[in-house]
């Protein structure tokens, strides 16, 4: 009988890597794109899953403003084919604005905790969605020459509603994502 020597395998906690933020962001943006594509609107309002996902990614990975600009441009490009808008290319500018706002909040010294509860993801989602949404509807108004009444009474309320929904979604999804990220060797 032949005696085989057993090979010893040693597992260490994942250490991540220099570009781990790219993998985390890509995964979350892909999830956001799929949800953006399949989620129906309710009363003209659809959560912007892409913003929710890049807010989670930015909160988890804390990228620089330059990296956040890249995240925003990729998010905008991903949104173009899945957009339900009359002018999907506005997503490039609006998601860039949203991602930069989110990164600025994340990298600020402002404390968003109450006790042990961190509200930073909700604050990021709210302000980023408002920034992105108002950028988008302003571009849409200008490109399509829409009347101010449509802008004020049809588009602004939708942005406010989406911001409210995104705030809740992002806060709720952040904690499981954070636990998964921490379990896999993240920050």
């Amino acid at each position: 009988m032949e005696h085989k020597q057993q090979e010893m395998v040693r597992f260490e906690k994942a250490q991540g890597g220099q570009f781990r933020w790219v993998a985390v962001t890509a995964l979350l943006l892909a999830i956001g794109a799929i949800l953006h594509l399949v989620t129906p609107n309710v009363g003209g309002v659809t959560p912007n899953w892409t913003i929710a996902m890049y807010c989670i990614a930015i909160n988890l990975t804390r990228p620089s403003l330059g990296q956040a600009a890249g995240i925003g441009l990729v998010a905008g490009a991903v949104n173009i084919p899945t957009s339900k808008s009359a002018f999907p290319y506005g997503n490039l500018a609006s998601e860039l604005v949203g991602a930069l706002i989110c990164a600025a909040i994340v990298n600020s010294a402002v404390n968003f905790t109450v006790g042990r509860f961190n509200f930073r993801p909700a604050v990021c989602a709210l302000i980023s969605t408002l920034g992105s949404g108002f950028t988008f509807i302003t571009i849409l108004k200008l490109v399509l020459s829409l009347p101010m009444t449509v802008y004020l009474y049809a588009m602004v309320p939708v942005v406010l509603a989406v911001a409210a929904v995104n705030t809740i979604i992002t806060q709720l999804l952040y904690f499981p994502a954070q636990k998964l990220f921490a379990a896999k060797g993240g920050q």
Side-chain angles (χ1 to χ4, degrees):
M1 240 171 128
E2 193 175 310
H3 187 277
K4 290 187 178 183
Q5 188 176 9
Q6 285 189 336
E7 196 174 312
M8 186 177 224
V9 179
R10 184 174 166 196
F11 292 97
E12 292 183 20
K13 185 177 178 183
Q15 298 301 312
Q18 182 180 3
F19 298 107
R20 183 157 192 224
W21 69 271
V22 175
V24 170
T25 302
L27 177 64
L28 289 170
L29 286 178
I31 292 167
I34 292 166
L35 291 171
H36 187 81
L37 183 65
V38 300
T39 303
N41 70 35
V42 178
V45 176
T46 305
N48 191 323
W49 292 102
T50 304
I51 295 174
M53 292 300 153
Y54 72 63
C55 284
I56 292 169
I58 290 170
N59 270 276
L60 290 173
T61 63
R62 298 183 175 275
S64 67
L65 286 178
Q67 292 166 330
I71 291 169
L73 289 172
V74 169
V78 167
N79 265 0
I80 291 172
T82 63
S83 180
K84 299 164 188 160
S85 167
F87 186 70
Y89 298 104
N91 284 299
L92 288 171
S94 68
E95 301 308 350
L96 173 63
V97 168
L100 287 172
I101 289 170
C102 185
I105 294 168
V106 166
N107 292 317
S108 74
V110 179
N111 184 6
F112 293 99
T113 58
V114 175
R116 292 175 30 146
F117 196 79
N118 182 5
F119 285 101
R120 184 173 300 204
V123 171
C124 286
L126 176 64
I127 298 172
S128 295
T129 304
L130 290 173
S132 174
F134 281 113
T135 301
F136 186 81
I137 65 171
T138 301
I139 291 170
L140 195 61
K141 182 201 178 312
L142 296 172
V143 168
L144 300 178
S145 300
L146 297 172
M148 187 57 83
T149 55
V150 171
Y151 181 84
L152 293 175
Y153 300 113
M155 298 167 92
V156 168
V158 170
V159 170
L160 296 174
V162 170
V165 171
N166 271 15
T167 300
I168 295 165
I169 287 170
T170 303
Q171 187 68 44
L172 290 176
L173 293 179
Y174 175 75
F175 294 110
Q178 182 186 35
K179 286 182 194 265
L180 178 64
F181 186 70
K184 297 296 180 186
Q187 297 171 348

